[in-house]
Amino acid sequence: MKNLLRLAVALMPWFLRRHILVKCFGYELHPTARIGLSFIFPKHLAMGEGAFIGHLCVAIHLERMEMGAHSILDRGNWITGFPRGHARHFAHLGDRRPEFMVGAHAGISKNHHFDCTERIEIGDHATVAGYGSQFLTHGIDYEKARQHASPISIGARSLVGSRVVVLGGARLPARSVLGAGAVLNKAYEEELRLYAGVPARPVKHLPASAAYFSRSAGFID
């Protein structure tokens, strides 16, 4: 019944839906923020000035979702979490945070999947480009025969190529590029690098003078 009510809200015109999301759900939505025809129902939602979520997106089972000022989540993205304190899964992770945090001027293109069993953070001015990438914070710990989850961090002003896989515990440093088709499975610290391959590793130095790393506008059309 609860999901049917949410679906009814999701299908309402935006001016009415926005009023209900603020007054009844307690969401923090800037007057210029907007959500398309999408099913976006985390426990807490905050959207800054000019933040935009396109059509046919889903965001469920999240403790918190934040969209920074002028950030973009384009159409067809699927964002799921796993509620804390639910059943026995992840009981050993007492400080687990099922959150999706998108920085100011960050851009996420179409048809990606974000598993936010643990926190996923997309930094300011970062871009998740292309199609069909997977960000997977949880998996099976075969040594201990249990589910485990670790956060993912995509650094500020970084660029993620098409059809990548990013695994729990991975970190793409700021001002870096993750090449198309790469599998990022660990945390790196070195900025101004191209990371590529399976598994991804630093393969090239990038110039600090590159315009992408210093632009003031966000999503690149």
Side-chain angles (χ1 to χ4, degrees), residues 12-155:
M12 291 178 179
W14 173 240
F15 74 92
L16 179 57
R17 183 166 23 123
R18 183 188 183 282
H19 177 79
I20 293 174
L21 293 176
V22 171
K23 297 298 183 181
C24 300
F25 287 81
Y27 290 168
E28 304 168 46
L29 305 178
H30 190 276
T32 61
R34 186 177 179 86
I35 302 174
L37 188 62
S38 290
F39 195 85
I40 308 295
F41 289 99
K43 186 174 181 181
H44 301 286
L45 174 63
M47 296 180 67
E49 179 183 1
F52 174 72
I53 297 175
H55 298 314
L56 304 179
C57 294
V58 172
I60 54 175
H61 306 314
L62 301 167
E63 287 291 322
R64 187 168 186 84
M65 178 174 175
E66 290 188 11
M67 299 285 298
H70 306 291
S71 60
I72 295 175
L73 180 68
D74 215 333
R75 69 175 183 269
N77 284 287
W78 191 279
I79 305 148
T80 59
F82 195 94
R84 288 183 295 192
H86 185 74
R88 68 180 185 277
H89 292 83
F90 312 107
H92 63 292
L93 299 174
D95 59 349
R96 185 173 62 87
R97 296 184 293 171
E99 300 174 342
F100 186 59
M101 316 296 281
V102 181
H105 291 275
I108 299 169
S109 63
K110 307 173 184 68
N111 302 324
H112 302 295
H113 177 210
F114 298 87
D115 154 40
C116 296
T117 300
E118 250 288 13
R119 178 186 175 102
I120 293 179
E121 182 175 5
I122 311 294
D124 294 349
H125 289 82
T127 305
V128 178
Y131 304 87
S133 292
Q134 299 181 69
F135 295 74
L136 307 173
T137 63
H138 90 281
I140 295 175
D141 181 344
Y142 65 88
E143 291 185 348
K144 298 182 179 179
R146 67 185 182 189
Q147 297 276 354
H148 186 69
S150 300
I152 288 172
S153 175
I154 303 299

Side-chain angles (χ1 to χ4, degrees), residues 152-174:
I152 288 172
S153 175
I154 303 299
R157 299 183 183 276
S158 59
L159 173 61
V160 176
S162 187
R163 296 190 181 281
V164 305
V165 176
V166 182
L167 301 179
R171 179 179 185 274
L172 182 66

